[in-house]
Amino acid sequence: MGSQALSQNNETFEINLGPQHPATHGVLRVKLTMDGEYIVDAEPVLGYIHRMHELMGENRTWAKYLPNMGRIDYLSALSYNLGYVQLVEKMMGIEVPERAEYIRVLTTEMNRISSHLLWFGAFVLDLGGFTPLLYAFDDREHILDLLESVTGSRLTYCYYRFGGLYNDVDDDFLTGCTQFLKRLRSRMPMYHKLVTGNVILRQRLVGVGPLSAEMCRKYGATGPVLRGSGVNYDVRKNEPYSIYPELDFDVPVYSDGDSMARYMVRMDEIEQSMRIVEQCIAKMPQGEIKAPKVPKLIKPAIGDYYHAVEAARGTFAIRAVSDGKNQAYRMKLRAPTFCNLSLYQEASKGMLLADALAFMGSLDLVIPEIDR
Amino acid sequence: MDLNLVHMVLFLVGIIAFAAGNAAYLVWVERKGAARIQRRTGPCEVGPAGLIQPLADGAKLMSKQIVFPDGIDKPLFMLAPMFAMIPAVMIFVTIPFGPVGFGPFADFMIVAREMNIGLLMILAFASVNVMALLLGGWSSKNKYAVISAIRGVSQGIAFEIPLVITAITIVMISGSMQLSTIVEAQAGGFWNWNWMPLQGNLFGPVSFIVFFICFLAETNRAPFDLGEAESELIAGFHTEYSSMGFGLFFMGEYANIVIGASLTTILFLGGWTSPFPEFVPVLGASSFLWFLLKIYLLIWTVVLIRWTYPRVTLWSLLNLAWKILIPFALINLLGSAVLIKILPMLGL
Amino acid sequence: MAGYFNSILTGTKSLVTGLLITQAEFFKKPVTLQYPHESLEMTPRYRGHIQLVKNPETGTHQCISCGMCQKGCPSGCITLKGVKQEGVKGKVLVQYDLDFTTCSLCGQCIENCKPGAIEFSLEYNLASTNKEDFHYDLLERVKEQK
Amino acid sequence: MNKATIITELRALAAEGMPDEPEVVETPASEEPEEGAKKKKPAPPEPRKNGLLELDYVRRGVHVDVQMAADQVVRGAEILDAEGLQLEAITGVDWIKENELEVVYDFSYTGGECFRVVLRVRIPRDEANIPTLNDVFPSANWHERETYDFFGINFEGHPQLENLLLPEDSDFHPLLKDFKGL
């Protein structure tokens, strides 16, 4: 890639942001060509935590691939679990009992809240504010405790099964969720006062890293990044799956396209997810949590299948090619941040270093998900 | 034996002990305070409430190896941490802590060497701090450190101007550069202090805030810690430093905070004078304890600010300095000059 | 000009609000747990490494050595061996090894187990500098269990 | 976005250069009803001919499935780009028995109603060349690099066809079915 200094006769220098750098949250490396504090070119270099999940998908039976789903995006693992089990259910034509669907949506949305809370803290940490991170972690800890009490794990969940769930939830969990929502409702104004309203934060976010809707489309960006650019697209609404059509929630859309818009989208999504969880608790039906007839051997018909869900960071999709055996012939995982990061190189041209890092934070990167 | 010499030696030891002890224990205050702000416990294992932690940290830093990376400018690399610490100690020489205030030596002034140009000397030495950043960043042969050094210099220059202008305002009001004279001019209750408009300085509160912001920026404290912005520049100018090289930078930072707080107290908060000398005779009308109380309150504010705000960017930092602070400081200077010098001259 | 002063004013207000919030939090109690001194009770569903269920009546495990857990394990971390013994119906378990270093705690072994002979333990604070320490002999462990 | 336009244009495009045949929508084996799964050994599917299929979205997750020749894919992407779809993913499939590699392009519409289109191209394994989509969709840049990583497919005209996820010096393509591990 050719790189030219912004002003003539100026020298540029290269600087390696990462693979170990406090702002990249993992092992992302960005090769920066800088002209002073300005970025001339920023080329992300991936693959430092590449684990070849797709090849694993071809070597394991459908059921054995389940634990992998918790380890792609470890922050919203349940969305990935959901995407995968729904794909297999689609292939096999398994009907899932209603109670299981409600519990799935409830836990997935709790997971989404926890993912957004972590992003919120880490993002403010990128901007130099340390304290909100720990407040967010305090709240997130409650979610992890709740999810641990049903799923048994705190981060890399493996809770959903083909046709249902691993185990049922009890009333303690539901009341725990209600209490947590009450707590988070009372904390959100504090976050907004402490962080959203802060003049320094606004200065750092408003107008930084503007992305047009057209650019998002060209780069395949999805999730809060796309919604921050004014596109009302959410797989949960546009391509409804599970019981989302029965639930009443809004898709927050901000049209500014800057980092502040992405920030606000995620903060509003926390509120919307809380609404979804509340409705799930209120509507939770009684009944079975596992489909009565789940074939022991999963051998889908020949062909390829596509399924997309809304993970915390955007559209997560799986394309599975089956050759009629008990293993996938090909398993393609479409990770949202992979596409979201691919626009970084173009969008960060001419930015200040500090702004570029704020912009990177606003994309909400989870490196293991990009590298898969 | 020359009593003056004994006085000097005692004070020298005292100053170094005060600077180093403050640096060490302010780290503890900062860690503990930050922990409580974030609903954590903070250091608690070494000694009661982690009080011995700073000593353990110090021992660890001293016992570590000093790493000299390849290709560095070694003399400058070694000089930079000294530039961070030595001026800080030098400044303490001229800072008056105030009279003892009680007991047999009630009138004894705790000051190493009172000078009639004390304020000028402090400002002169305080600006050496920028050199430490520049040399440390430049000699490390690290691109992050160089960026940090450049940021540090432009920041230092930008904020020194409003700082000095505000200090000049105070000098004009008090008519002296001697710190004890400035304090004594504010004696007699908090309404006489320079940050109150009653003193004839109509813009007192503004100049106090301007001075405080400049002091934050000059000491490279959050939210103006662009030099060591850890999420952007790893650790900035001291990325390559280890052992006591890093330790000196660290201590220098905290010593500078104490100096900044002392200076703010002396210039604006009445130094060692009691806020209400006649009504509440706690600690006496003037005592160094008042002084310490005030500077530690200020330092706590600094700590609180660090753990509350995100970091500003270089551009908004310079905008703040050139577009807000300098105009305000200049208007303040002019206004005070008109009030104090020109109006009396005209007989008003 | 009005905008200039207005932005300074609202900015200052937001800064003061922030300071008040953090100062208020300062006076609240810490929420953290001092780990080595205190530790958490795990919830009953917590997924520690697997162990054989001890039958309180017989004082031993209920494994029938069918090998379904071994078959269903995605990471192949279970090795078990049952041998035919005279006078006993079915196979008798003689070896049940768990390589916890590769276990992903998915729970498929437990789901596959018809007699319900394995369960998750509640152990979570495992640490070692030696990989071999995580190769568990579950048969030995079931004897040590209360 | 106009679904009908997309379908007509893609159908016309995929039919280009194909021998004239009566419009028989061949249901390939992949379209078998569900009971097909229960058969012990399904008959090997007939190789699919280039052309457009409208699939059952509920079961397959895509609406339109087009197989086309390698030199038509840029035109196909342009048709979809003009209608406002976005490129969601590019991947490959190694059909080693037929000695062919398949490149699969997933498109979706984010402007409202859900509409997913998949383009697929079969290319010979030993001459795996296909034009790049980089000029139409910049997001293809990384997807194509990833596909190059895993399958060794050469995207002609790609500005930077280097390894993305695998180490820079790796010379293996792990998702090829004859990859035997390192």
Side-chain angles (χ1 to χ4, degrees):
Chain A
M1 290 257 146
S3 49
Q4 271 195 316
L6 295 170
S7 49
Q8 275 194 330
N9 303 327
N10 269 13
E11 287 178 48
T12 59
F13 61 97
E14 286 205 346
I15 194 164
N16 263 318
L17 194 82
Q20 277 85 37
H21 185 279
T24 57
H25 303 292
V27 280
L28 172 68
R29 174 176 156 219
V30 184
K31 223 157 77 188
L32 297 174
T33 310
M34 311 261 301
D35 178 6
E37 286 252 348
Y38 285 102
I39 285 171
V40 180
D41 186 43
E43 188 199 343
V45 182
L46 310 180
Y48 285 90
I49 192 165
H50 175 55
R51 291 150 298 167
M52 204 73 238
H53 274 294
E54 294 181 8
L55 184 59
M56 279 187 237
E58 297 175 14
N59 292 335
R60 294 177 164 201
T61 60
W62 294 97
K64 282 186 183 180
Y65 194 49
L66 260 175
N68 285 51
M69 284 297 133
R71 285 156 176 83
I72 296 169
D73 176 357
Y74 49 75
L75 293 182
S76 66
L78 283 174
S79 305
Y80 284 69
N81 272 251
L82 186 63
Y84 180 64
V85 293
Q86 284 195 327
L87 174 84
V88 175
E89 282 153 11
K90 198 184 229 176
M91 293 192 299
M92 301 297 295
I94 302 171
E95 282 285 319
V96 183
E98 211 182 11
R99 182 174 171 85
E101 290 281 21
Y102 271 94
I103 296 173
R104 280 181 181 183
V105 169
L106 195 163
T107 43
T108 307
E109 293 302 324
M110 288 293 269
N111 201 196
R112 189 188 310 274
I113 297 175
S114 88
S115 168
H116 281 343
L117 278 175
L118 188 134
W119 165 81
F120 163 77
F123 182 45
V124 184
L125 182 65
D126 277 354
L127 303 175
F130 196 91
T131 305
L133 172 80
L134 294 189
Y135 294 166
F137 263 61
D138 184 11
D139 284 334
R140 181 171 172 267
E141 196 65 20
H142 285 79
I143 302 184
L144 295 190
D145 283 346
L146 283 168
L147 289 180
E148 187 199 315
S149 72
V150 288
T151 67
S153 7
R154 293 178 74 79
L155 204 63
T156 50
Y157 308 105
C158 179
Y159 178 49
Y160 306 147
R161 293 290 188 266
F162 306 138
L165 303 166
Y166 180 75
N167 49 22
D168 203 355
V169 301
D170 47 15
D171 286 343
D172 283 354
F173 172 73
L174 297 182
T175 43
C177 284
T178 319
Q179 275 165 6
F180 169 74
L181 291 183
K182 213 172 133 201
R183 173 196 156 93
L184 191 60
R185 280 254 154 75
S186 67
R187 296 268 286 190
M188 291 304 284
M190 187 271 273
Y191 289 142
H192 283 303
K193 268 192 219 156
L194 178 64
V195 181
T196 316
N198 190 294
V199 62
I200 300 175
L201 184 106
R202 296 196 86 90
Q203 270 180 355
R204 292 210 55 178
L205 296 188
V206 175
V208 168
L211 298 174
S212 65
E214 177 64 9
M215 186 171 175
C216 284
R217 181 178 75 83
K218 286 277 187 185
Y219 276 98
T222 44
V225 177
L226 185 63
R227 292 194 280 277
S229 298
V231 181
N232 186 351
Y233 177 72
D234 187 317
V235 184
R236 289 175 294 175
K237 280 275 189 205
N238 292 47
E239 200 179 341
Y241 54 93
S242 194
I243 48 148
Y244 281 109
E246 292 161 36
L247 299 171
D248 175 33
F249 65 100
D250 302 325
V251 178
V253 177
Y254 284 78
S255 55
D256 301 341
D258 56 359
S259 302
M260 193 69 201
R262 292 187 279 279
Y263 171 90
M264 287 311 294
V265 166
R266 292 204 180 87
M267 293 308 270
D268 287 2
E269 267 181 27
I270 295 181
E271 311 257 1
Q272 294 304 325
S273 290
M274 288 198 283
R275 277 180 65 192
I276 296 177
V277 173
E278 257 169 9
Q279 292 172 43
C280 283
I281 296 172
K283 288 184 178 175
M284 179 74 67
Q286 292 300 321
E288 286 295 309
I289 55 147
K290 202 145 190 188
K293 271 200 174 172
V294 181
K296 262 241 116 82
L297 263 179
I298 307 265
K299 279 189 180 174
I302 294 176
D304 46 357
Y305 304 85
Y306 197 78
H307 187 68
V309 292
E310 182 78 19
R313 279 156 200 82
T315 309
F316 165 65
I318 311 180
R319 163 170 289 286
V321 181
S322 164
D323 59 349
K325 300 226 176 73
N326 62 348
Q327 296 176 350
Y329 189 75
R330 174 81 179 95
M331 182 85 75
K332 162 72 183 171
L333 307 168
R334 190 260 183 208
T337 29
F338 184 82
C339 299
N340 292 359
L341 180 64
S342 70
L343 52 73
Y344 188 72
Q345 186 165 12
E346 187 181 327
S348 66
K349 276 198 178 107
M351 271 190 193
L352 284 171
L353 178 62
D355 287 345
L357 289 169
F359 172 48
M360 188 194 283
S362 77
L363 293 178
D364 191 6
L365 305 177
V366 172
I367 312 301
E369 190 205 356
I370 298 172
D371 288 352
R372 281 160 292 150
Chain B
M1 202 164 147
D2 192 349
L3 259 178
N4 212 14
L5 190 69
V6 175
H7 178 246
M8 282 311 293
V9 169
L10 272 180
F11 267 102
L12 201 62
V13 173
I15 283 163
I16 292 175
F18 182 74
N22 255 309
Y25 274 88
L26 282 183
V27 178
W28 179 84
V29 169
E30 175 121 47
R31 289 179 63 179
K32 204 78 182 165
R36 289 305 298 270
I37 287 170
Q38 297 159 359
R39 314 285 301 276
R40 296 185 284 122
T41 330
C44 59
E45 292 292 327
V46 193
L51 270 171
I52 307 178
Q53 187 74 42
L55 301 182
D57 285 349
K60 184 202 80 176
L61 277 179
M62 272 186 249
S63 59
K64 278 190 140 179
Q65 183 195 3
I66 299 187
V67 179
F68 295 107
D70 264 357
I72 55 161
D73 192 334
K74 204 168 165 184
L76 291 186
F77 189 77
M78 289 168 75
L79 204 59
M82 298 179 198
F83 267 127
M85 192 63 195
I86 292 175
V89 177
M90 291 293 289
I91 292 173
F92 275 114
V93 168
T94 182
I95 287 182
F97 285 70
V100 176
F102 48 81
F105 304 104
D107 288 337
F108 181 77
M109 279 291 280
I110 305 175
V111 57
R113 186 87 163 86
E114 180 74 78
M115 287 182 214
N116 55 2
I117 50 160
L119 184 60
L120 188 64
M121 189 198 135
I122 289 178
L123 291 175
F125 271 105
S127 55
V128 178
N129 192 25
V130 176
M131 283 299 283
L133 253 81
L134 179 60
L135 294 185
W138 177 253
S139 62
S140 298
K141 204 189 176 215
N142 179 320
K143 286 166 188 167
Y144 287 110
V146 173
I147 296 180
S148 153
I150 296 165
R151 283 181 174 189
V153 171
S154 50
Q155 179 185 348
I157 290 171
F159 279 90
E160 213 143 276
I161 300 167
L163 184 92
V164 172
I165 294 175
T166 338
I168 290 173
T169 319
I170 300 301
V171 170
M172 207 165 58
I173 293 167
S174 322
S176 168
M177 280 208 192
Q178 191 165 355
L179 296 177
S180 52
T181 320
I182 294 176
V183 171
E184 271 145 26
Q186 305 175 53
F190 67 89
W191 51 91
N192 278 336
W193 296 351
N194 276 333
W195 75 296
M196 294 297 284
L198 296 170
Q199 182 67 2
N201 171 15
L202 269 183
F203 306 93
V206 177
S207 56
F208 170 65
I209 291 169
V210 169
F211 192 87
F212 186 71
I213 293 174
C214 292
F215 139 56
L216 276 182
E218 280 286 293
T219 49
N220 285 319
R221 284 291 295 191
F224 305 110
D225 57 344
L226 290 173
E228 50 172 292
E230 79 280 347
S231 58
E232 296 158 26
L233 304 179
I234 325 290
F237 58 93
H238 59 65
T239 307
E240 299 290 345
Y241 282 90
S242 56
S243 180
M244 266 331 262
F246 167 74
L248 282 180
F249 272 123
F250 210 59
M251 279 164 70
E253 183 190 329
Y254 284 96
N256 279 328
I257 293 168
V258 180
I259 290 164
S262 314
L263 206 56
T264 319
T265 312
I266 289 169
L267 294 185
F268 291 96
L269 300 179
W272 53 81
T273 60
S274 164
F276 15 72
E278 275 137 53
F279 308 114
V280 190
V282 194
L283 299 181
S286 55
S287 157
F288 74 103
L289 291 175
W290 277 118
F291 183 74
L292 290 183
L293 183 71
K294 286 172 192 171
I295 67 170
Y296 286 125
L297 272 178
L298 270 179
I299 288 171
W300 175 247
T301 319
V302 172
V303 169
L304 198 60
I305 284 175
R306 166 160 181 192
W307 296 105
T308 307
Y309 302 141
R311 185 181 308 113
V312 301
T313 55
L314 184 63
W315 260 219
S316 56
L317 174 102
L318 295 181
N319 275 342
L320 175 70
W322 294 100
K323 287 191 183 159
I324 299 180
L325 295 186
I326 292 181
F328 268 88
L330 281 173
I331 292 168
N332 184 20
L333 177 67
L334 267 178
S336 307
V338 170
L339 273 178
I340 296 164
K341 299 291 172 196
I342 298 179
L343 291 187
M345 228 187 276
L346 299 174
L348 290 168
Chain C
M1 203 63 188
Y4 174 81
F5 284 107
N6 205 13
S7 65
I8 293 178
L9 263 180
T10 48
T12 318
K13 200 179 145 218
S14 77
L15 295 180
V16 174
T17 327
L19 279 188
L20 290 179
I21 290 172
T22 39
Q23 183 65 66
E25 295 286 322
F26 175 78
F27 293 112
K28 292 183 189 163
K29 265 198 171 148
V31 291
T32 50
L33 202 78
Q34 295 303 308
Y35 167 58
H37 309 300
E38 325 159 59
S39 59
L40 278 176
E41 272 289 306
M42 284 296 110
T43 51
R45 282 184 186 171
Y46 179 77
R47 299 184 182 185
H49 65 80
I50 56 165
Q51 62 187 17
L52 290 165
V53 180
K54 190 166 189 169
N55 191 337
E57 287 167 28
T58 57
T60 180
H61 61 84
Q62 308 161 5
C63 178
I64 53 166
S65 323
C66 62
M68 283 311 284
C69 47
Q70 191 177 358
K71 238 184 184 171
C73 178
S75 12
C77 54
I78 298 173
T79 322
L80 67 88
K81 212 165 120 191
V83 288
K84 212 74 185 106
Q85 270 181 16
E86 278 191 36
V88 191
K89 211 177 133 201
K91 283 180 183 171
V92 175
L93 188 66
V94 290
Q95 186 202 3
Y96 200 111
D97 286 341
L98 170 70
D99 180 3
F100 191 50
T101 53
T102 59
C103 176
S104 54
L105 296 168
C106 62
Q108 299 203 8
C109 45
I110 293 174
E111 271 190 326
N112 285 351
C113 188
K114 283 261 163 58
I118 37 179
E119 63 177 1
F120 286 120
S121 66
L122 296 185
E123 277 176 43
Y124 67 98
N125 39 6
L126 306 162
S128 172
T129 50
N130 185 6
K131 246 183 166 179
E132 291 302 307
D133 291 351
F134 297 109
H135 291 236
Y136 299 125
D137 184 354
L138 296 188
L139 263 181
E140 282 298 312
R141 290 181 79 91
V142 79
K143 282 177 198 152
E144 291 158 15
Q145 254 176 61
K146 283 166 272 161
Chain D
M1 183 196 68
N2 189 339
K3 277 187 194 178
T5 327
I6 294 177
I7 292 173
T8 337
E9 288 192 26
L10 284 179
R11 195 189 294 274
L13 180 68
E16 265 174 39
M18 292 288 292
D20 276 335
E21 269 182 56
E23 180 85 12
V24 184
V25 179
E26 252 189 272
T27 322
S30 53
E31 274 293 86
E32 270 180 56
E34 205 183 313
E35 291 78 59
K38 284 173 189 160
K39 283 188 205 162
K40 266 283 175 266
K41 269 210 172 149
E46 289 271 306
R48 183 182 156 186
K49 297 216 172 64
N50 287 0
L52 181 139
L53 291 176
E54 285 182 55
L55 294 181
D56 174 19
Y57 168 74
V58 178
R59 241 174 87 56
R60 294 314 192 75
V62 288
H63 294 88
V64 173
D65 185 327
V66 193
Q67 179 165 320
M68 48 175 59
D71 51 351
Q72 293 168 334
V73 66
V74 176
R75 179 74 199 110
E78 276 166 0
I79 293 172
L80 296 169
D81 180 38
E83 294 292 336
L85 272 75
Q86 74 172 21
L87 176 63
E88 208 159 68
I90 299 177
T91 187
V93 185
D94 180 15
W95 298 102
I96 193 163
K97 279 185 199 147
E98 287 118 68
N99 201 23
E100 276 180 329
L101 283 171
E102 186 177 26
V103 187
V104 186
Y105 300 83
D106 284 304
F107 293 88
S108 71
Y109 184 59
T110 53
E113 194 190 352
C114 168
F115 188 58
R116 289 184 186 278
V117 180
V118 51
L119 304 185
R120 48 182 82 230
V121 177
R122 293 258 183 153
I123 46 179
R125 260 182 126 235
D126 34 7
E127 251 181 272
N129 297 320
I130 190 166
T132 174
L133 285 194
N134 203 16
D135 300 328
V136 190
F137 286 104
S139 62
N141 189 329
W142 280 18
H143 288 302
E144 286 175 356
R145 278 175 73 183
E146 188 193 311
T147 315
Y148 165 74
D149 265 9
F150 294 164
F151 294 93
I153 294 168
N154 177 29
F155 289 90
E156 288 162 343
H158 192 285
Q160 192 192 4
L161 203 60
E162 297 164 9
N163 283 343
L164 182 68
L165 294 177
L166 297 181
E168 300 95 72
D169 54 350
S170 59
D171 52 357
F172 48 87
H173 301 294
L175 285 184
L176 292 178
K177 290 285 171 185
D178 50 3
F179 173 70
K180 286 285 178 292
L182 293 176

